[in-house]
Amino acid sequence: MFSLRRLAAALVIATAAATSAQAQTYPDKPITLVVPFAAGGPSDVIARLLGQSMSATLGQQVVIENVAGAGGTTAAGRVAKAPADGYTLLIHHVALAAGASLYPKLGYDTNTAFQPLGLVNYGPFVLAAKNGFEPNTAAELFAKLKKDGPSVNVAHAGVGSGSHLCGLMLTQALGIQVTYVPYKGTGPAMNDLVGGQVDVLCDQTTNAIPQVTGGKVKAYAVTSNKRIEQLPNLPTVVEAGIPGFEVTVWHGLYAPAGTPAPVVTKLHGALQTALADATIQKRFSDLGTLLFPADQRSPEALGAYLKGEVARWGEAVAKAGVKGE
Ligand code: MLT
């Protein structure tokens, strides 16, 4: 006897069976890992390290796709709308949280559009300048910014990017304005800082440490609450005279919301294998970035962390009176 109820039940069973079968064979084609900034920057470097390891674990190619724009929200929007099948992933950082308040027409809800897979790393920024920039200490830099702020060109990777948020917090603390120069990522921004085309850049340690130790740029301070062992002579911004100043960048790995649980489990497991890899741990350590403790690496922990950061940056952005395009 035909009934709508029986048809609906049959459809539910068939869909569940199809999802389960898909999850069992997952992954059976290459996976795209979307990076919200240009190649060569800190997010790209971390994505490639993770991608290489996860590819070996999952037995499928992990293809890095750099999708820059709008402080990292263009990439987030791309993944938010991708099929929830585990073949399109997103690595993102603090900009994903801040973007929720900076961009009124995102086209996705930051807190519900993604399936968190796990927290990856966190660390400070380095306040750096082109060689030849006259200030030699952080205090001299702050004095220069207070005196000539509007004529100082400060690079960033788009409104809401980590480098932009760091610059924003600094200009807020000093009560000044500067001239911002946007790039598609701090990879190209750092190239221009090394080349002297731009004056100042607040960049993640992962990108800054090699340039500072190589003498390619000047460094003034780190934005953590204590000095970092890779640049032990660099004071914190607090030591340099701005009480309570701390800006941290953190990366998380995401899939689109609705990704089947067995696929999430496989991806989460491959991420944990990558984070346990001694080579990756050494590389992260050399680049001045830290891994989250093991008890903060569940998908749920990333979801809670993201929600907290969305709220926190919402307050900071409102206070700064800044909006993205
Ligand atoms: C990058 O990877 O280019 C940076 O993370 C961009 C930024 O957030 O400043």
Side-chain angles (χ1 to χ4, degrees), residues 37 41-44 93 157 161-163 185-187 204:
F37 300 100
S43 306
D44 186 63
H93 58 39
S161 64
S163 45
T186 51
Q204 297 177 47

Side-chain angles (χ1 to χ4, degrees), residues 15-293:
T15 307
T19 303
S20 163
Q22 176 208 36
Q24 267 149 29
T25 59
Y26 175 86
D28 55 16
K29 63 183 180 180
I31 296 164
T32 298
L33 176 51
V34 176
V35 178
F37 300 100
S43 306
D44 186 63
V45 166
I46 287 164
R48 290 174 195 276
L49 281 171
L50 293 181
Q52 205 173 6
S53 169
M54 291 179 72
S55 170
T57 302
L58 295 166
Q60 280 294 340
Q61 220 190 340
V62 173
V63 180
I64 303 293
E65 187 179 348
N66 298 88
V67 178
T73 57
T74 303
R78 165 88 68 89
V79 176
K81 299 179 182 73
D85 57 10
Y87 291 101
T88 307
L89 307 180
L90 173 72
I91 186 163
H92 217 318
H93 58 39
V94 60
L96 179 66
S101 311
L102 282 164
Y103 291 89
K105 301 192 186 72
L106 281 179
Y108 62 85
D109 178 330
T110 304
N111 282 322
T112 59
F114 305 99
Q115 165 59 56
L117 296 174
L119 283 161
V120 177
N121 67 303
Y122 68 96
F125 291 87
V126 175
L127 214 37
K130 64 185 180 185
N131 278 337
F133 197 55
E134 51 273 28
N136 288 314
T137 65
E140 287 176 14
L141 173 68
F142 299 159
K144 167 78 176 168
L145 289 173
K146 281 179 180 168
K147 179 170 155 288
D148 305 326
S151 67
V152 176
N153 292 324
V154 178
H156 64 64
V159 172
S161 64
S163 45
H164 173 257
L165 296 173
C166 180
L168 184 66
M169 293 302 103
L170 183 66
T171 53
Q172 285 288 304
L174 295 174
I176 57 149
Q177 300 291 331
V178 295
T179 297
Y180 283 116
V181 182
Y183 290 79
K184 290 189 177 305
T186 51
M190 182 57 82
N191 289 342
D192 271 10
L193 193 74
V194 169
Q197 279 80 30
V198 70
D199 298 322
V200 170
L201 169 64
C202 186
D203 198 6
Q204 297 177 47
T205 52
T206 33
N207 207 30
I209 286 173
Q211 304 301 342
V212 174
T213 51
K216 302 282 182 50
V217 297
K218 298 176 87 164
Y220 296 98
V222 287
T223 64
S224 37
N225 60 13
K226 59 180 189 299
R227 296 189 180 204
I228 60 173
E229 62 184 64
Q230 295 81 358
L231 298 171
N233 301 327
L234 222 47
T236 66
V237 172
V238 171
E239 283 178 271
I242 303 182
F245 192 94
E246 188 175 353
V247 186
T248 302
V249 62
W250 53 274
H251 282 92
L253 190 66
Y254 306 86
T259 300
V263 173
V264 171
T265 302
K266 274 189 184 175
L267 287 167
H268 174 260
L271 174 59
Q272 300 323 302
T273 302
L275 296 176
D277 180 300
T279 312
I280 289 183
Q281 290 184 350
K282 169 90 172 58
R283 191 96 170 80
F284 276 28
S285 168
D286 291 347
L287 293 172
T289 192
L290 302 168
L291 296 180
F292 282 87

